[in-house]
């Protein structure tokens, strides 16, 4: 069912529990009071029935049906339309999960439309019903309580983000730990959180500026200022988190670059050592190749070689091999190969 809860309140006290929208509209015409209709992903027909009864602008119906709206506050005549983005932190995946709730506030009605499980508007309703004096301030009191609930639910999100940032700061200087991807992913979550929360302060300030025009009680204005104060703290902490993560990403990049430079230096040193070994091997191979070449020629068993029948032929061959070996050794030694 799209209708989660439906009630009519008189002087802050729940007096009627209509079973359908048509019954709600009929009872309001008969007895007055304020109606609070809670919807969960309503159909177009249900939402248009509400819009027709309360004179809600067609653009509001279009936005409410589409969902996936940014946080915003708009007025259409005497109807206020607010979109809020509640959030909760999923520690296992280090992600912020966002919900969406639309609030329509008129002179004698409140319509809440949820597109996700959060926030718990049932808890908000019970809290207000336990405080008839506050609920007696009318539809603006319901709007305040919903804003207060959404902002309060940001506290666990901030705590989860702060805990993960502390873990990242501890990992930065650990060996063999690359936190770059984790920092980037968490930074994206903080940015999304900022997009959901930053418009709230402007929205609350706009509500307070219109307090006199729309006859919002002084007592309720105090409650709204308290929510505004909490909202500013939330946005300030989110800004701090983003700055810390940006700095952490810079530090991590520097550390990774330093590690890469050290690895390149080690590889360069290893390459130099390998080159030295190759030079030595090549030098000794050349030295050994010279006498091998001479010996190979003399071992070919040609009969017509003058040196074969020359008394000094053999000593000359031995001397040539030694001279070539010593000469090559001297050359390679001078070049630093040996």
């Amino acid at each position: 069912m799209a209708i989660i809860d439906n009630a009519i309140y008189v002087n802050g006290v729940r007096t009627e529990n209509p079973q359908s929208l048509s019954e709600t509209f009929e009872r309001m015409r008969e007895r007055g009071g304020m109606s609070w209709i809670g919807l969960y992903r309503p159909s177009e027909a249900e939402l248009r029935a509400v819009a027709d009864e309360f004179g809600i602008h067609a653009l509001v119906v279009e936005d409410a049906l589409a969902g996936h709206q940014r946080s915003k506050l708009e007025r259409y005549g005497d109807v206020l339309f607010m979109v809020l983005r509640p959030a909760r932190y999923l520690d296992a995946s280090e992600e912020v999960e966002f919900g969406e709730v639309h609030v329509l506030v008129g002179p004698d009605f409140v319509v809440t439309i949820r597109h996700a499980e959060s926030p718990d508007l049932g808890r908000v309703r019970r809290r207000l019903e336990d405080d008839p004096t506050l609920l007696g301030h009318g539809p603006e009191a319901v709007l305040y309580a919903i804003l207060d609930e959404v902002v309060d639910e940001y506290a666990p999100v901030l705590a989860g983000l702060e805990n993960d940032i502390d873990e990242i700061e501890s990992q930065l200087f650990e060996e063999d730990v690359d936190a770059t991807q984790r920092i980037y992913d968490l930074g994206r979550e903080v940015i999304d959180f900022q997009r959901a929360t930053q418009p709230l302060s402007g929205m609350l300030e706009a509500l307070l500026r219109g307090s006199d025009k729309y006859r919002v009680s002084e007592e309720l204005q105090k409650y709204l200022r308290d929510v505004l104060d909490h909202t500013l703290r939330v946005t300030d902490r989110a800004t701090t988190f983003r700055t810390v993560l940006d700095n952490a990403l810079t530090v991590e990049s520097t550390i990774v670059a330093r590690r890469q430079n050290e690895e390149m230096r080690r590889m360069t040193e290893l390459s130099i050592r390998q080159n030295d070994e190759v030079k030595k091997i090549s030098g000794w191979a050349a030295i050994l190749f010279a006498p091998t070449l001479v010996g190979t020629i003399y071992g070919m068993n040609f009969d017509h070689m003058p040196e074969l029948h020359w008394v000094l032929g053999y000593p000359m061959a031995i001397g040539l091999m030694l001279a070539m070996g010593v000469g090559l050794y001297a050359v390679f030694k001078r070049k630093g190969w040996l």
Side-chain angles (χ1 to χ4, degrees):
M1 293 292 292
I3 302 176
I4 302 302
D5 202 346
N6 184 14
I8 296 175
Y9 300 87
V10 177
N11 296 324
V13 178
R14 186 169 186 153
T15 60
E16 301 284 345
N17 299 289
Q19 299 302 309
S20 65
L21 292 176
S22 59
E23 184 180 350
T24 301
F25 305 147
E26 181 180 349
R27 295 292 177 85
M28 282 191 65
R29 283 191 292 269
E30 292 174 353
R31 305 180 185 181
M34 178 193 76
S35 67
W36 180 359
I37 303 171
L39 303 176
Y40 178 71
R41 294 179 178 174
S43 66
E44 183 175 356
E46 290 167 328
L47 196 54
R48 291 198 182 279
V50 174
D52 292 341
E53 178 65 28
F54 295 127
I56 297 172
H57 199 281
L59 290 176
V60 176
V61 176
E62 183 179 330
D63 285 348
L65 286 172
H68 302 290
Q69 302 289 317
R70 60 179 177 83
S71 300
K72 63 180 180 179
L73 172 66
E74 296 174 344
R75 282 194 180 274
Y76 295 85
D78 58 356
V79 176
L80 182 146
F81 176 53
M82 179 177 284
V83 178
L84 299 172
R85 300 296 307 279
R88 62 174 182 166
Y89 191 69
L90 307 178
D91 189 60
S93 57
E94 295 185 358
E95 293 179 350
V96 180
E97 182 181 78
F98 295 96
E100 184 174 341
V101 60
H102 299 175
V103 186
L104 297 167
V105 179
D108 57 357
F109 70 88
V110 177
V111 179
T112 55
I113 304 168
R114 285 191 297 118
H115 289 274
E117 298 303 319
S118 179
D120 186 354
L121 296 183
R123 180 167 57 194
V124 175
R125 191 185 289 262
R126 290 189 296 271
R127 170 191 166 194
L128 285 173
E129 289 177 350
D130 290 339
D131 189 354
T133 302
L134 177 60
L135 188 53
H137 288 284
E140 289 80 7
V142 178
L143 178 61
Y144 149 72
I146 294 172
L147 282 165
D148 189 50
E149 177 71 15
V150 170
V151 173
D152 284 348
E153 287 186 359
Y154 289 148
V157 177
L158 291 171
L161 290 171
E162 185 173 26
N163 180 67
D164 289 329
I165 289 172
D166 289 342
E167 291 179 0
I168 286 174
E169 289 179 329
S170 299
Q171 289 179 342
L172 280 179
F173 298 99
E174 291 183 6
E175 293 294 333
D176 302 324
V177 175
D178 186 355
T180 305
Q181 186 64 47
R182 187 181 183 189
I183 295 172
Y184 178 80
D185 291 341
L186 197 59
R188 294 302 309 170
E189 297 301 321
V190 171
I191 290 172
D192 290 341
F193 183 69
Q194 284 183 302
R195 289 174 179 166
T197 58
Q198 279 185 339
L200 283 179
S201 57
M203 292 159 59
L204 283 160
E205 289 169 354
L207 284 175
L208 289 168
R209 285 195 300 270
S211 297
D212 295 335
K213 180 178 180 180
Y214 295 98
R215 297 183 296 278
V216 179
S217 68
E218 186 63 33
E219 185 68 17
L220 199 55
Q221 291 181 46
K222 293 178 182 178
Y223 286 119
L224 289 172
R225 290 192 189 96
D226 182 64
V227 177
L228 174 59
D229 182 60
H230 291 171
T231 300
L232 291 173
R233 294 179 189 176
V234 168
T235 55
D236 286 346
R237 288 186 67 188
T239 301
T240 301
F241 289 167
R242 185 170 180 180
T243 302
V244 170
L245 286 170
D246 287 343
N247 292 338
L249 189 59
T250 301
V251 171
E252 177 68 9
S253 299
T254 302
I255 292 173
V256 170
R258 187 190 66 187
R259 290 172 180 168
Q260 289 176 340
N261 289 337
E262 291 177 351
E263 185 65 24
M264 289 297 296
R265 181 178 56 81
R266 286 194 294 268
M267 292 177 64
T268 301
E269 292 175 352
L270 178 60
S271 178
I272 291 172
R273 288 196 297 268
Q274 289 176 339
N275 287 338
D276 290 340
E277 294 298 325
V278 170
K279 288 178 181 179
K280 291 179 181 179
I281 294 171
S282 299
W284 284 113
I287 292 171
L288 294 174
F289 175 74
T292 301
L293 176 62
V294 176
T296 301
I297 293 174
Y298 275 86
M300 295 176 69
N301 297 321
F302 285 107
D303 187 46
H304 301 288
M305 294 181 69
E307 296 84 355
L308 292 177
H309 305 287
W310 184 31
V311 176
L312 298 178
Y314 180 72
M316 184 200 71
I318 296 298
L320 179 61
M321 288 188 282
L322 289 174
M324 293 178 66
V326 171
L328 288 172
Y329 179 83
V331 172
F332 292 141
K333 191 69 174 177
R334 186 169 63 252
K335 290 183 175 292
W337 284 33
L338 299 174

